[in-house]
Coordinates of all heavy atoms in Angstrom, one line a residue:
M805 N -0.3 -5.9 10.8 CA 0.2 -5.7 9.5 C 1.7 -5.2 9.7 O 2.5 -5.4 8.7 CB -0.6 -4.6 8.8 CG -0.5 -4.9 7.3 SD -2.0 -4.9 6.3 CE -2.1 -3.3 5.6
E806 N 2.0 -4.5 10.8 CA 3.4 -4.0 11.0 C 4.4 -5.2 11.2 O 5.5 -5.1 10.8 CB 3.5 -3.2 12.2 CG 2.8 -1.8 12.1 CD 1.2 -2.1 12.4 OE1 0.9 -3.1 13.0 OE2 0.6 -1.2 11.9
R807 N 3.9 -6.4 11.7 CA 4.9 -7.4 12.1 C 5.2 -8.2 10.8 O 4.7 -9.3 10.5 CB 4.2 -8.2 13.1 CG 4.2 -7.6 14.4 CD 4.0 -8.6 15.6 NE 2.8 -8.3 16.2 CZ 2.0 -9.0 16.9 NH1 2.4 -10.3 16.9 NH2 0.9 -8.6 17.6
G808 N 6.2 -7.8 10.1 CA 6.7 -8.5 9.0 C 6.1 -8.2 7.7 O 6.5 -8.6 6.6
L809 N 5.0 -7.3 7.8 CA 4.2 -7.0 6.5 C 3.7 -8.2 5.8 O 3.9 -8.2 4.6 CB 5.1 -6.1 5.7 CG 5.5 -4.7 6.4 CD1 6.4 -3.9 5.4 CD2 4.3 -3.9 6.9
K810 N 3.3 -9.3 6.5 CA 2.9 -10.4 5.8 C 1.5 -10.5 5.5 O 1.0 -11.5 5.0 CB 3.3 -11.6 6.7 CG 4.8 -11.7 7.2 CD 5.7 -12.8 6.3 CE 6.9 -13.0 6.9 NZ 7.9 -11.8 6.5
G811 N 0.7 -9.5 6.0 CA -0.7 -9.3 5.7 C -1.5 -10.2 6.7 O -0.9 -10.9 7.6
I812 N -2.8 -10.2 6.7 CA -3.7 -10.7 7.6 C -4.8 -11.4 6.8 O -5.5 -10.7 6.0 CB -4.3 -9.9 8.6 CG1 -3.3 -9.0 9.3 CG2 -5.3 -10.6 9.5 CD1 -3.8 -8.0 10.3
G813 N -5.0 -12.8 7.0 CA -6.0 -13.5 6.3 C -5.9 -13.2 4.8 O -4.9 -12.9 4.1
D814 N -7.1 -13.1 4.1 CA -7.0 -12.9 2.6 C -7.6 -11.6 2.3 O -8.0 -11.3 1.3 CB -7.9 -13.9 1.9 CG -9.3 -14.1 2.3 OD1 -9.8 -13.4 3.2 OD2 -10.1 -14.9 1.8
I815 N -7.8 -10.6 3.4 CA -8.3 -9.4 3.2 C -7.1 -8.3 3.1 O -7.0 -7.5 2.2 CB -9.2 -8.9 4.3 CG1 -10.4 -9.8 4.2 CG2 -9.6 -7.5 4.1 CD1 -11.6 -9.4 5.2
F816 N -6.1 -8.4 4.0 CA -5.0 -7.5 4.1 C -3.9 -8.2 3.5 O -3.2 -9.1 4.1 CB -4.6 -7.2 5.5 CG -5.8 -6.4 6.3 CD1 -6.8 -7.1 6.9 CD2 -5.8 -5.0 6.2 CE1 -7.9 -6.4 7.3 CE2 -6.9 -4.4 6.8 CZ -7.9 -5.0 7.5
P817 N -3.5 -7.8 2.2 CA -2.4 -8.6 1.6 C -1.2 -8.3 2.1 O -0.8 -7.4 2.6 CB -2.5 -7.9 0.1 CG -3.1 -6.6 0.3 CD -3.9 -6.6 1.5
P818 N -0.1 -9.3 2.0 CA 1.2 -9.0 2.4 C 1.9 -8.0 1.7 O 1.7 -7.8 0.3 CB 1.9 -10.5 2.0 CG 1.0 -11.0 1.0 CD -0.4 -10.6 1.1
L819 N 2.8 -7.3 2.3 CA 3.5 -6.1 1.6 C 5.0 -6.6 1.4 O 5.6 -5.9 0.7 CB 3.5 -4.8 2.3 CG 2.0 -4.3 2.4 CD1 2.1 -2.9 3.2 CD2 1.6 -4.1 1.1
A820 N 5.4 -7.6 2.2 CA 6.8 -8.0 2.2 C 7.1 -8.6 0.8 O 6.3 -9.2 0.1 CB 7.1 -9.1 3.2
G821 N 8.3 -8.3 0.3 CA 8.8 -8.9 -0.9 C 8.4 -8.3 -2.4 O 8.4 -9.2 -3.2
R822 N 8.1 -7.2 -2.4 CA 7.6 -6.7 -3.6 C 8.7 -5.5 -4.1 O 9.4 -5.0 -3.2 CB 6.4 -5.9 -3.6 CG 5.5 -7.0 -2.9 CD 4.1 -6.8 -3.5 NE 3.2 -7.8 -2.7 CZ 1.9 -7.8 -2.9 NH1 1.3 -7.1 -3.7 NH2 1.2 -8.8 -2.3
S823 N 8.5 -5.2 -5.3 CA 9.6 -4.2 -5.8 C 9.1 -2.8 -5.6 O 8.0 -2.7 -5.4 CB 9.8 -4.4 -7.3 OG 8.5 -3.9 -8.0
P824 N 10.0 -1.8 -5.4 CA 9.5 -0.5 -5.2 C 8.5 0.0 -6.2 O 7.6 0.7 -5.7 CB 10.9 0.3 -5.3 CG 11.9 -0.6 -5.1 CD 11.4 -1.9 -5.5
A825 N 8.7 -0.3 -7.4 CA 7.7 0.1 -8.4 C 6.4 -0.4 -8.2 O 5.3 0.2 -8.3 CB 8.0 -0.2 -9.8
A826 N 6.4 -1.6 -7.7 CA 5.1 -2.2 -7.3 C 4.2 -1.4 -6.2 O 3.0 -1.2 -6.4 CB 5.2 -3.7 -6.9
Y827 N 4.9 -1.0 -5.1 CA 4.2 -0.3 -4.2 C 3.8 1.0 -4.7 O 2.8 1.5 -4.4 CB 5.3 0.1 -2.9 CG 5.7 -1.3 -2.3 CD1 7.1 -1.6 -2.2 CD2 4.8 -2.0 -1.5 CE1 7.4 -2.7 -1.6 CE2 5.2 -3.1 -0.8 CZ 6.6 -3.5 -0.9 OH 7.0 -4.6 -0.2
A828 N 4.7 1.8 -5.3 CA 4.4 3.1 -5.7 C 3.0 3.0 -6.6 O 2.2 3.8 -6.5 CB 5.6 3.8 -6.3
R829 N 3.1 2.1 -7.4 CA 2.0 2.0 -8.4 C 0.8 1.7 -7.7 O -0.3 2.3 -8.1 CB 2.4 0.7 -9.5 CG 1.2 0.3 -10.2 CD 0.4 1.2 -11.0 NE 1.2 1.8 -12.2 CZ 0.7 2.8 -13.0 NH1 -0.4 3.4 -12.7 NH2 1.5 3.2 -13.9
Q830 N 0.8 0.7 -6.8 CA -0.6 0.4 -6.0 C -1.0 1.7 -5.3 O -2.1 2.0 -5.4 CB -0.4 -0.7 -5.1 CG 0.1 -2.0 -5.8 CD -0.8 -2.3 -6.9 OE1 -2.0 -2.3 -6.9 NE2 -0.2 -2.8 -8.1
L831 N -0.2 2.3 -4.6 CA -0.6 3.5 -3.8 C -1.2 4.6 -4.7 O -2.2 5.1 -4.5 CB 0.6 4.1 -3.0 CG 1.2 3.2 -1.8 CD1 2.3 3.8 -1.1 CD2 0.1 2.8 -0.8
Y832 N -0.4 4.7 -5.9 CA -0.9 5.7 -6.8 C -2.4 5.3 -7.5 O -3.3 6.1 -7.5 CB 0.1 5.9 -8.0 CG -0.3 7.0 -8.9 CD1 -0.1 8.2 -8.7 CD2 -1.0 6.7 -10.1 CE1 -0.5 9.3 -9.5 CE2 -1.4 7.7 -11.0 CZ -1.0 9.1 -10.7 OH -1.5 10.0 -11.6
D833 N -2.5 4.1 -7.7 CA -3.8 3.5 -8.4 C -4.8 3.5 -7.4 O -6.1 3.8 -7.8 CB -3.5 2.1 -8.8 CG -2.9 2.1 -10.1 OD1 -2.5 3.1 -10.7 OD2 -2.5 0.9 -10.5
F834 N -4.6 3.3 -6.0 CA -5.6 3.5 -5.0 C -6.1 4.9 -5.0 O -7.3 5.2 -4.8 CB -5.2 3.0 -3.6 CG -5.1 1.6 -3.3 CD1 -3.9 1.0 -2.9 CD2 -6.3 0.8 -3.5 CE1 -3.9 -0.3 -2.7 CE2 -6.3 -0.5 -3.3 CZ -5.0 -1.1 -2.8
K835 N -5.3 5.9 -5.0 CA -5.6 7.1 -4.9 C -6.3 7.7 -6.1 O -7.3 8.4 -6.0 CB -4.2 8.1 -4.9 CG -4.5 9.6 -4.6 CD -3.2 10.4 -4.5 CE -3.5 11.7 -4.5 NZ -2.4 12.6 -4.7
S836 N -5.9 7.3 -7.4 CA -6.6 7.8 -8.5 C -7.9 7.1 -8.7 O -8.7 7.5 -9.5 CB -5.6 7.5 -9.7 OG -5.6 6.2 -10.1
G837 N -8.1 5.9 -8.0 CA -9.3 5.0 -8.3 C -9.2 4.1 -9.3 O -10.0 3.3 -9.6
A838 N -7.9 4.0 -9.9 CA -7.7 3.0 -11.0 C -7.8 1.6 -10.4 O -8.2 0.6 -11.0 CB -6.4 3.3 -11.6
R839 N -7.4 1.5 -9.1 CA -7.5 0.2 -8.4 C -8.8 0.3 -7.5 O -8.8 1.2 -6.5 CB -6.3 -0.1 -7.5 CG -6.5 -1.4 -6.7 CD -5.2 -2.0 -6.3 NE -5.5 -3.2 -5.4 CZ -4.6 -3.8 -4.8 NH1 -3.3 -3.7 -4.9 NH2 -5.0 -4.8 -4.2
D840 N -9.8 -0.4 -7.8 CA -11.0 -0.5 -7.1 C -11.5 -1.7 -6.9 O -12.7 -2.1 -7.1 CB -11.9 0.4 -8.0 CG -13.0 0.9 -7.3 OD1 -13.1 1.0 -6.1 OD2 -14.2 1.4 -8.0
G841 N -10.7 -2.6 -6.2 CA -11.1 -4.0 -6.0 C -11.9 -4.1 -4.6 O -12.4 -3.2 -4.1
R842 N -12.1 -5.3 -4.3 CA -13.0 -5.7 -3.2 C -12.8 -4.9 -2.0 O -13.8 -4.3 -1.4 CB -12.7 -7.1 -2.8 CG -13.8 -8.1 -3.1 CD -13.6 -9.4 -2.5 NE -12.3 -9.8 -2.3 CZ -12.0 -10.9 -1.5 NH1 -12.9 -11.5 -0.8 NH2 -10.7 -11.1 -1.2
Y843 N -11.6 -4.7 -1.5 CA -11.3 -3.9 -0.2 C -10.6 -2.6 -0.5 O -9.9 -2.1 0.6 CB -10.6 -4.8 0.7 CG -11.4 -6.0 1.1 CD1 -11.0 -7.3 0.7 CD2 -12.4 -6.0 1.8 CE1 -11.7 -8.4 0.9 CE2 -13.3 -7.0 2.3 CZ -12.8 -8.3 1.7 OH -13.6 -9.4 1.9
A844 N -10.6 -2.1 -1.7 CA -9.9 -0.9 -2.1 C -10.3 0.4 -1.2 O -9.7 1.3 -0.9 CB -9.9 -0.6 -3.5
A845 N -11.6 0.1 -0.7 CA -12.1 1.2 0.0 C -11.5 1.5 1.3 O -11.4 2.6 1.9 CB -13.8 1.0 0.4
L846 N -10.9 0.4 1.8 CA -10.2 0.6 3.0 C -8.9 1.4 2.9 O -8.3 2.0 3.7 CB -9.7 -0.8 3.7 CG -10.9 -1.6 4.3 CD1 -10.4 -3.0 4.7 CD2 -11.4 -0.8 5.5
M847 N -8.4 1.3 1.7 CA -7.0 1.9 1.4 C -7.3 3.5 1.0 O -6.3 4.3 1.1 CB -6.3 1.3 0.3 CG -5.4 0.1 0.9 SD -4.2 0.7 2.0 CE -3.1 1.6 1.0
K848 N -8.4 3.7 0.3 CA -8.7 5.0 -0.2 C -8.4 6.2 0.7 O -7.7 7.0 0.4 CB -10.1 5.1 -0.7 CG -10.1 5.3 -2.2 CD -11.5 5.6 -2.8 CE -11.5 5.8 -4.3 NZ -10.5 6.8 -4.8
P849 N -9.0 6.1 2.0 CA -8.7 7.4 2.9 C -7.2 7.3 3.3 O -6.8 8.4 3.6 CB -9.6 6.9 4.2 CG -10.0 5.6 4.1 CD -10.0 5.2 2.6
V850 N -6.6 6.2 3.2 CA -5.1 6.1 3.7 C -4.3 7.0 2.7 O -3.5 7.9 3.0 CB -4.5 4.8 3.7 CG1 -3.0 4.8 3.9 CG2 -5.3 4.0 4.7
V851 N -4.7 6.9 1.3 CA -3.7 7.5 0.3 C -4.3 8.9 -0.1 O -3.8 9.5 -1.0 CB -3.6 6.6 -0.8 CG1 -2.9 5.3 -0.4 CG2 -4.9 6.1 -1.5
A852 N -5.6 9.1 0.3 CA -6.4 10.3 -0.4 C -5.5 11.5 -0.4 O -5.6 12.3 -1.4 CB -7.6 10.5 0.4
H853 N -4.8 11.9 0.6 CA -4.1 13.1 0.7 C -2.5 12.9 0.5 O -1.8 13.9 0.8 CB -4.4 13.8 2.0 CG -5.9 14.0 2.2 ND1 -6.5 15.0 1.4 CD2 -6.6 13.4 3.0 CE1 -7.9 14.9 1.7 NE2 -8.0 14.0 2.7
L854 N -2.1 11.9 0.1 CA -0.8 11.7 -0.2 C -0.2 12.5 -1.5 O -0.9 12.5 -2.5 CB -0.4 10.2 -0.4 CG -0.6 9.3 0.8 CD1 -0.1 7.9 0.3 CD2 0.1 9.8 2.0
T855 N 0.9 13.2 -1.5 CA 1.4 13.8 -2.6 C 2.4 12.8 -3.2 O 2.6 11.6 -2.7 CB 2.4 14.9 -2.1 OG1 3.4 14.3 -1.4 CG2 1.7 16.0 -1.3
D856 N 2.8 12.9 -4.4 CA 3.6 12.1 -5.1 C 4.9 11.7 -4.3 O 5.4 10.6 -4.3 CB 4.0 12.6 -6.5 CG 2.9 12.5 -7.5 OD1 1.9 11.8 -7.2 OD2 2.9 13.0 -8.6
Q857 N 5.4 13.0 -3.7 CA 6.6 12.7 -2.8 C 6.3 11.8 -1.7 O 7.2 11.0 -1.4 CB 7.1 14.1 -2.5 CG 8.4 14.1 -1.7 CD 9.5 13.6 -2.5 OE1 9.7 14.1 -3.7 NE2 10.3 12.5 -2.0
D858 N 5.1 12.0 -1.0 CA 4.7 11.1 0.1 C 4.8 9.6 -0.5 O 5.3 8.7 0.4 CB 3.3 11.4 0.5 CG 3.2 12.6 1.3 OD1 4.3 13.2 1.8 OD2 2.1 13.3 1.2
I859 N 4.3 9.4 -1.7 CA 4.3 7.9 -2.2 C 5.6 7.4 -2.2 O 5.9 6.3 -1.9 CB 3.5 7.9 -3.5 CG1 2.0 8.1 -3.0 CG2 3.6 6.6 -4.2 CD1 1.0 8.2 -4.3
V860 N 6.5 8.3 -2.9 CA 8.0 7.9 -3.0 C 8.6 7.7 -1.7 O 9.3 6.7 -1.5 CB 8.8 9.0 -3.8 CG1 10.2 8.7 -3.8 CG2 8.2 9.1 -5.1
D861 N 8.3 8.5 -0.6 CA 8.9 8.3 0.7 C 8.4 7.1 1.3 O 9.2 6.3 1.9 CB 8.6 9.6 1.5 CG 9.2 10.8 1.1 OD1 10.0 10.8 0.2 OD2 8.9 12.0 1.5
L862 N 7.0 6.8 1.2 CA 6.4 5.6 1.8 C 7.1 4.3 1.2 O 7.4 3.4 1.9 CB 5.0 5.6 1.7 CG 4.1 6.3 2.7 CD1 2.7 6.3 2.2 CD2 4.2 5.5 4.0
T863 N 7.2 4.4 -0.1 CA 7.7 3.3 -0.8 C 9.2 2.9 -0.4 O 9.6 1.9 0.0 CB 7.8 3.6 -2.3 OG1 6.5 3.7 -2.8 CG2 8.4 2.4 -3.3
A864 N 10.0 4.1 -0.3 CA 11.3 3.9 0.2 C 11.4 3.2 1.6 O 12.2 2.4 1.8 CB 12.1 5.3 0.1
Y865 N 10.5 3.8 2.5 CA 10.5 3.1 3.8 C 10.2 1.8 3.9 O 10.7 0.9 4.5 CB 9.4 4.0 4.6 CG 9.2 3.5 6.0 CD1 10.3 3.5 7.0 CD2 8.1 2.8 6.3 CE1 10.1 2.8 8.2 CE2 7.8 2.3 7.7 CZ 8.9 2.3 8.5 OH 8.7 1.7 9.8
I866 N 9.1 1.4 3.1 CA 8.6 0.0 3.2 C 9.6 -0.9 2.7 O 10.0 -2.0 3.2 CB 7.2 -0.2 2.4 CG1 6.2 0.6 2.9 CG2 6.9 -1.7 2.2 CD1 4.9 0.7 1.9
V867 N 10.3 -0.4 1.6 CA 11.3 -1.4 0.9 C 12.6 -1.5 2.0 O 13.3 -2.6 2.0 CB 11.7 -0.7 -0.5 CG1 12.9 -1.5 -0.9 CG2 10.6 -0.9 -1.4
S868 N 12.8 -0.4 2.7 CA 13.9 -0.4 3.7 C 13.8 -1.5 4.7 O 14.6 -1.9 5.4 CB 14.2 1.0 4.2 OG 13.3 1.2 5.3
L869 N 12.5 -1.9 5.0 CA 12.1 -2.9 6.0 C 12.5 -4.3 5.5 O 12.5 -5.2 6.3 CB 10.7 -2.8 6.4 CG 10.3 -1.5 7.2 CD1 8.9 -1.5 7.5 CD2 11.1 -1.2 8.4
Q870 N 12.6 -4.5 4.2 CA 12.7 -5.9 3.9 C 14.0 -6.3 4.2 O 15.1 -5.7 4.3 CB 12.6 -5.9 2.2 CG 11.6 -5.0 1.5 CD 10.2 -5.8 1.9 OE1 10.0 -7.0 1.8 NE2 9.2 -5.0 2.1
P871 N 14.0 -7.7 4.6 CA 15.3 -8.4 5.0 C 16.4 -8.4 3.8 O 15.9 -8.4 2.6 CB 15.0 -9.8 5.4 CG 13.5 -10.0 4.7 CD 13.0 -8.6 4.5
Ligands
HEM2323 C1 0.7 4.1 5.1 C2 0.0 3.1 5.5 C3 -0.3 2.1 4.4 C4 0.4 1.6 3.3 C5 1.7 2.2 2.8 C6 -0.3 0.6 2.7 C7 0.1 -0.1 1.6 C8 -0.7 -1.0 0.8 C9 -0.4 -1.5 -0.5 C10 0.9 -1.2 -1.2 C11 -1.5 -2.3 -0.9 C12 -1.5 -3.1 -2.2 C13 -1.0 -4.5 -1.8 C14 -1.2 -5.4 -3.0 O1 -1.1 -5.0 -4.3 O2 -1.3 -6.6 -2.9 C15 -2.4 -2.2 0.1 C16 -3.6 -3.0 0.1 C17 -4.5 -2.8 1.1 N1 -4.4 -2.3 2.3 FE1 -3.0 -0.9 2.8 N2 -1.4 0.5 3.4 C18 -1.5 1.2 4.4 C19 -2.4 1.3 5.4 C20 -3.6 0.5 5.4 C21 -4.6 0.7 6.5 C22 -4.7 1.6 7.6 C23 -5.6 -0.4 6.2 C24 -6.9 -0.7 6.9 C25 -7.8 0.2 7.5 C26 -5.2 -0.9 4.9 C27 -5.8 -2.0 4.2 C28 -5.6 -2.4 3.1 C29 -6.4 -3.4 2.4 C30 -7.8 -4.1 2.9 C31 -5.8 -3.7 1.2 C32 -6.2 -4.6 -0.1 C33 -7.2 -3.8 -1.0 C34 -7.6 -4.5 -2.1 O3 -8.1 -5.7 -1.8 O4 -7.6 -4.1 -3.2 N3 -4.0 -0.4 4.5 N4 -1.9 -1.4 1.1

């Protein structure tokens, strides 16, 4: 997943090429439970203890990796 953030198969979605608001929203929704799709359970422990500031920081980092 680190290599280009293009995702793996159809389970791990690509992260490359999205807007900052899209990342922050998804992370927030996984945490709140609003996003509860097929594989959301894999993301839940990742985001469970993130603060809003963590989400902003992660979003800024991911977006900084885009070409
Ligand atoms: C800090 C680390 C991580 C960040 C920032 C992150 C970020 C994201 C984001 C933004 C999405 C939504 C993508 C979309 O809307 O298409 C997502 C989905 C997903 N992530 Fe992560 N992720 C992280 C770690 C992980 C780890 C460690 C795993 C596996 C154990 C994982 C597995 C998945 C899966 C399976 C989905 C799709 C969930 C679904 O189908 O609803 N992620 N991730």
Side-chain angles (χ1 to χ4, degrees):
M805 213 132 103
E806 294 80 22
R807 288 197 240 151
L809 301 178
K810 307 252 192 287
I812 302 175
D814 58 359
I815 295 180
F816 298 87
L819 292 184
R822 311 213 179 176
S823 76
Y827 294 118
R829 163 56 69 184
Q830 297 313 313
L831 294 177
Y832 186 82
D833 283 354
F834 280 127
K835 187 183 169 193
S836 75
R839 179 160 174 178
D840 200 13
R842 251 191 332 161
Y843 299 107
L846 285 172
M847 277 301 289
K848 245 190 176 311
V850 176
V851 298
H853 301 291
L854 296 184
T855 63
D856 287 350
Q857 188 60 53
D858 291 334
I859 289 177
V860 170
D861 293 347
L862 274 169
T863 298
Y865 173 66
I866 295 169
V867 172
S868 79
L869 298 179
Q870 310 296 321

